[in-house]
Amino acid sequence: MMRYLNKDEIQSRLRLGKSVEQWLGVIQKDDYTILKWLSIDKESDESFSVAYFESFDEGNEDFLDIYAFSLVDPDEPFGVIDNFSSVVDALAFAEVTYKASPNKYTAAGMTQEEYRDYINW
């Protein structure tokens, strides 16, 4: 079972320079699937970035590394990034723009596990 971070944990992790992520689901097309997730990080200038990713579902039983899948927009190799002066602003932006849930953030790296749960192999 996935462990989600509470509001205090999210803010504490980010202020300490630790990333948080959120699995945002899939877009199903006729002949392919797009995976969506985002990451929030503290930057060296003390701002906070929201990076949004869409990648093609290239997974199979031997290759499950969501972070290595081809991005839908190869011109954005680090995701679509927006920067904010506060944690609160970054989280609010993620909720409004990407429909992120305030209750479904995880520690960095856990999006991989959520992808594995999605494919259910």
Side-chain angles (χ1 to χ4, degrees), residues 26-29 31-35 55-58 118:
V26 302
I27 300 170
Q28 190 65 52
K29 300 291 186 175
D31 54 346
Y32 61 94
T33 302
I34 297 172
L35 309 173
S55 67
F56 294 104
D57 185 355
E58 299 169 331
Y118 160 72

Side-chain angles (χ1 to χ4, degrees), residues 5 9 11 15 33 39 41 55 67 93 103 115 117 119:
L5 303 171
E9 290 172 317
Q11 292 189 9
R15 287 192 179 108
T33 302
S39 175
D41 297 281
S55 67
Y67 304 107
F93 174 82
N103 304 313
Y115 171 67
D117 288 345
I119 57 172

